[in-house]
Amino acid sequence: MERISRHHMLMQMAMTAALRSTCQRKQVGALLAIDGRPISIGYGGAPSHFPHCDESICDLTKPCTRTVHAEANAIAFAARKGIATEGSALYCTLAPCLDCAKLIINAGVLEVFYLEMYRSDEGLDLFRRAGTYVRQIQLASYA
């Protein structure tokens, strides 16, 4: 029996989390892991207890200012539940934006793996300057 790698498994889990996203513009999922085991997941969407995103609320032709990003939601859930993120790895379906990169660095995340490039590479530049390992991966290379 052939099994998938941990990288592949964790990224697949982030992709599954993205399916829960309520953002109409882009569905993004994120997963924090320590020692190859998931500790928290997040997906993009409106803040808790607010209406989900839809065309009557959001302008889909512009960058969203309403959605809490998947990475921030994964870190926020860990914080709410008292789960330490120091030394963790982040798997996300989209490269983090600059604001999420700042949060990820301050949360003590050491490695960031992503599938798709974000429209700006400012977050990736910040990771490199901070010494955070960052890498775009292709699932086929981790099968």
Side-chain angles (χ1 to χ4, degrees):
M1 179 175 90
E2 208 173 305
R3 41 185 233 178
I4 62 173
S5 70
R6 285 188 191 265
H7 279 296
H8 190 139
M9 176 190 74
L10 295 167
M11 188 58 80
Q12 287 284 356
M13 293 171 88
M15 292 168 63
T16 299
L19 299 174
R20 292 275 307 153
S21 175
T22 61
C23 181
Q24 300 287 312
R25 200 162 171 270
K26 183 74 174 168
Q27 289 189 300
V28 179
L31 178 139
L32 286 166
I34 292 180
D35 296 331
R37 304 285 181 152
I39 61 167
S40 183
I41 63 167
Y43 46 86
S48 296
H49 311 294
F50 280 79
H52 295 310
C53 302
D54 67 33
E55 292 174 10
S56 69
I57 298 171
C58 302
D59 181 352
L60 302 180
T61 64
K62 297 180 182 174
C64 184
T65 58
R66 188 168 182 271
T67 292
V68 179
H69 290 188
E71 306 92 324
N73 274 325
I75 291 168
F77 179 82
R80 285 178 63 185
K81 299 299 179 182
I83 302 168
T85 57
E86 184 76 33
S88 64
L90 176 74
Y91 291 80
C92 46
T93 59
L94 188 66
C97 69
L98 180 61
D99 286 337
C100 284
K102 294 173 190 176
L103 182 62
I104 291 162
I105 291 165
N106 281 355
V109 175
L110 298 179
E111 301 175 304
V112 176
F113 301 95
Y114 66 96
L115 286 178
E116 293 178 41
M117 185 61 197
Y118 184 62
R119 67 178 176 266
S120 166
D121 63 357
E122 291 177 307
L124 300 179
D125 288 340
L126 188 66
F127 288 137
R128 291 182 185 106
R129 287 186 287 155
T132 303
Y133 179 83
V134 61
R135 184 165 143 206
Q136 184 174 16
I137 62 171
Q138 303 295 324
L139 284 184
S141 66
Y142 284 103

